[in-house]
């Protein structure tokens, strides 16, 4: 299969590219950073986010699948650089969706767990009503709307952690680095999410690429607070839990965020019950031992 990957130089992108390159010919859109793979990967030097150019590229190279992970992932930066955020979260998906529709190519698009107001206590389902609280969430939601227009899409809502070799600032990186250096770290006990380890997420995205299934899917584990997950990570890696301080997220200090971002994984399990062991918290934690 010939795949054009946007965001292939990022945290998730590099992991996914590592898996995909084994069986596919991969073209990676280069924004600023270079990819560091040598195998079955071609770097797509697409200078601008421009419909004509990308369309021609897709046509000429006979691309079979578009994957979009490109994003400005910092909530704070999105709020500050709104134009940049709109471009990558809305304009790019709009172009890719149009190409997907016209050329009858499937698109797989990575969205976020950040789309809701966080006021409900249960985990959010794929059919729950979004209510974005900040510009990152607002533009990610608009991006989803664009992707849906293609009619040939799989949208994945998720959140993930694991060893980020490039800049070591994933949720687990920050905890492991602090505790190994005997430094204190504050973690929010009033913010809930349901992240996957990037290894499991990559496996699941790979699995969904092979399936013909369309629609929105939550790929998530179980609802847990950031503080509690920090404690579990420390236990798993036999690091000093006492350095973790229980803290409360203060809306006044940061850009507004939902307090509950957890996603319900029942839909994906209804289709593929055998994936259950990839979606438990235990499974996410077990992988950490091998990498840190
Ligand atoms: N990290 C998380 O926990 C998390 C949680 C929920 C959802 N997600 C979603 O998962 C996806 C991947 O996240 P990640 O953590 O792997 O992100 P990341 O490490 O920050 O990488 C982002 C990627 O997007 C590219 N990019 C940024 N601006 C671009 C632009 N204008 N045009 C084209 N490419 C551009 C970057 O390239 P350059 O570096 O060269 O600019 C990079 O390859 C994103 O869609 C994000 O919204 C992530």
């Amino acid at each position: 299969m010939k795949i054009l990957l946007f965001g292939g130089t990022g945290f998730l992108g590099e992991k996914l590219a590592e898996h995909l390159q084994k069986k596919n010919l991969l073209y990676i859109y280069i924004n600023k950073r270079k990819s560091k793979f040598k195998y079955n990967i071609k770097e797509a030097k697409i200078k601008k986010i421009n419909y004509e150019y990308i369309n021609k590229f897709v046509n000429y190279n006979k691309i079979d699948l578009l994957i979009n992970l490109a994003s400005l992932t910092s909530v704070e930066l999105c709020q500050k650089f709104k134009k940049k955020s709109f471009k990558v979260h809305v304009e790019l998906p709009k172009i890719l969706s149009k190409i997907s529709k016209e050329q009858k190519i499937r698109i797989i698009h990575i969205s976020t767990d950040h789309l809701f107001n966080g006021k409900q206590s249960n985990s959010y389902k794929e059919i729950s009503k979004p209510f974005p609280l900040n510009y990152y969430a607002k533009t990610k939601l608009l991006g989803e709307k664009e992707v849906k227009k293609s009619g040939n899409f799989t949208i994945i809502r998720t959140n993930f952690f694991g060893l980020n070799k490039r800049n070591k600032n994933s949720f687990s990186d920050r905890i492991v680095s602090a505790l190994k250096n005997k430094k204190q770290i504050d973690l929010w006990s009033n913010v809930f999410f349901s992240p996957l380890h990037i290894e499991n997420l990559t496996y699941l995205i790979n699995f969904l690429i092979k399936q013909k299934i369309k629609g929105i899917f939550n790929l998530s584990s179980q609802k847990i607070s950031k503080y509690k997950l920090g404690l579990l990570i420390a236990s798993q890696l036999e690091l000093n839990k006492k350095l973790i301080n229980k803290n409360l997220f203060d809306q006044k200090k940061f850009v507004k965020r939902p307090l509950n971002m957890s996603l319900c994984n029942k839909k994906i399990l209804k289709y593929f019950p055998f994936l259950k062991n990839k979606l438990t918290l235990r499974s996410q934690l077990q992988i950490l031992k091998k990498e840190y």
Side-chain angles (χ1 to χ4, degrees):
M1 196 174 353
K2 285 183 168 184
I3 301 172
L4 177 55
L5 178 62
F6 289 80
T9 58
F11 179 30
L12 180 58
E14 283 194 344
K15 260 270 180 284
L16 192 61
E18 213 176 290
H19 281 246
L20 293 178
Q21 70 186 358
K22 291 171 195 154
K23 288 194 180 152
N24 306 281
L25 180 55
L26 207 57
Y27 295 83
I28 294 187
Y29 169 89
I30 295 300
N31 187 42
K32 290 190 205 120
R33 291 182 279 191
K34 292 241 169 214
S35 72
K36 34 174 208 181
F37 299 105
K38 302 176 200 83
Y39 310 101
N40 218 5
I41 289 188
K42 295 193 170 182
E43 293 187 354
K45 302 239 187 293
I46 301 171
K47 290 273 185 319
K48 278 186 187 164
I49 294 183
N50 167 296
Y51 165 77
E52 279 74 28
Y53 196 93
I54 302 176
N55 192 39
K56 240 189 216 169
F57 185 94
V58 168
N59 223 336
Y60 180 79
N61 292 293
K62 299 190 171 55
I63 299 294
D64 305 297
L65 174 67
L66 298 166
I67 303 181
N68 182 29
L69 322 172
S71 171
L72 185 59
T73 46
S74 156
V75 171
E76 314 291 323
L77 288 182
C78 284
Q79 207 69 18
K80 201 167 161 196
F81 300 108
K82 293 202 166 115
K83 236 176 140 177
K84 257 191 180 174
S85 172
F86 192 86
K87 194 168 186 174
V88 65
H89 293 152
V90 189
E91 285 179 18
L92 178 62
K94 186 176 178 179
I95 290 168
L96 298 183
S97 174
K98 188 167 152 54
I99 295 171
S100 153
K101 190 172 181 180
E102 287 170 356
Q103 298 201 36
K104 298 187 174 53
I105 304 169
R106 184 175 172 211
I107 177 166
I108 296 188
H109 175 81
I110 306 296
S111 188
T112 179
D113 58 351
H114 217 92
L115 305 174
F116 307 96
N117 66 8
K119 287 191 177 157
Q120 74 175 44
S121 58
N122 294 338
S123 297
Y124 286 92
K125 293 183 178 167
E126 289 81 350
I127 52 166
S128 301
K129 196 171 162 36
F131 193 103
L133 295 182
N134 54 49
Y135 203 69
Y136 171 74
K138 195 175 168 182
T139 50
K140 287 292 282 187
L141 182 61
L142 287 172
E144 278 196 4
K145 283 189 181 153
E146 291 299 339
V147 170
K148 281 190 207 162
K149 289 181 192 164
S150 100
N152 192 0
F153 67 91
T154 307
I155 292 175
I156 294 168
R157 292 181 180 159
T158 190
N159 192 312
F160 50 92
F161 63 86
L163 178 64
N164 184 349
K165 289 187 187 141
R166 184 88 74 159
N167 53 20
K168 298 205 188 304
N169 68 359
S170 76
F171 179 74
S172 50
D173 286 337
R174 284 186 291 112
I175 294 166
V176 174
S177 159
L179 303 190
K180 280 192 174 167
N181 291 307
K182 309 211 177 334
K183 285 189 183 148
Q184 307 246 340
I185 180 165
D186 294 342
L187 291 177
W188 296 323
S189 61
N190 61 341
V191 176
F192 295 83
F193 66 159
S194 50
L196 292 178
H197 189 282
I198 193 164
E199 199 70 56
N200 280 339
L201 178 59
T202 307
Y203 171 91
L204 293 164
I205 295 174
N206 229 326
F207 174 79
L208 287 183
I209 287 173
K210 290 180 208 140
Q211 303 299 320
K212 296 246 157 67
I213 198 154
K214 291 179 193 167
I216 302 183
F217 289 90
N218 291 342
L219 294 184
S220 56
S221 57
Q222 287 141 288
K223 184 182 175 191
I224 187 163
S225 75
K226 296 207 168 187
Y227 171 70
K228 273 212 170 141
L229 184 58
L231 293 181
L232 290 179
I233 289 174
S235 293
Q236 184 73 16
L237 299 174
E238 292 164 25
L239 294 167
N240 186 2
K241 278 188 216 177
K242 288 186 183 141
L243 292 168
I244 302 179
N245 302 318
K246 190 176 184 176
N247 205 352
L248 289 178
F249 173 72
D250 181 353
Q251 300 274 15
K252 286 180 209 119
K253 286 195 199 151
F254 300 94
V255 173
K256 223 174 176 192
R257 285 166 165 79
L259 294 182
N260 177 19
M261 296 181 281
S262 64
L263 299 172
C264 170
N265 59 24
K266 280 194 181 142
K267 182 178 172 187
I268 188 84
L269 285 175
K270 204 171 159 199
Y271 279 90
F272 310 110
F274 51 87
L275 292 176
K276 195 164 185 199
N277 63 350
K278 297 276 175 199
L279 302 174
T280 60
L281 263 177
R282 198 185 142 99
S283 159
Q284 317 316 314
L285 290 162
Q286 277 171 343
I287 304 172
L288 288 178
K289 251 199 160 148
K290 289 182 230 145
E291 62 180 3
Y292 286 106

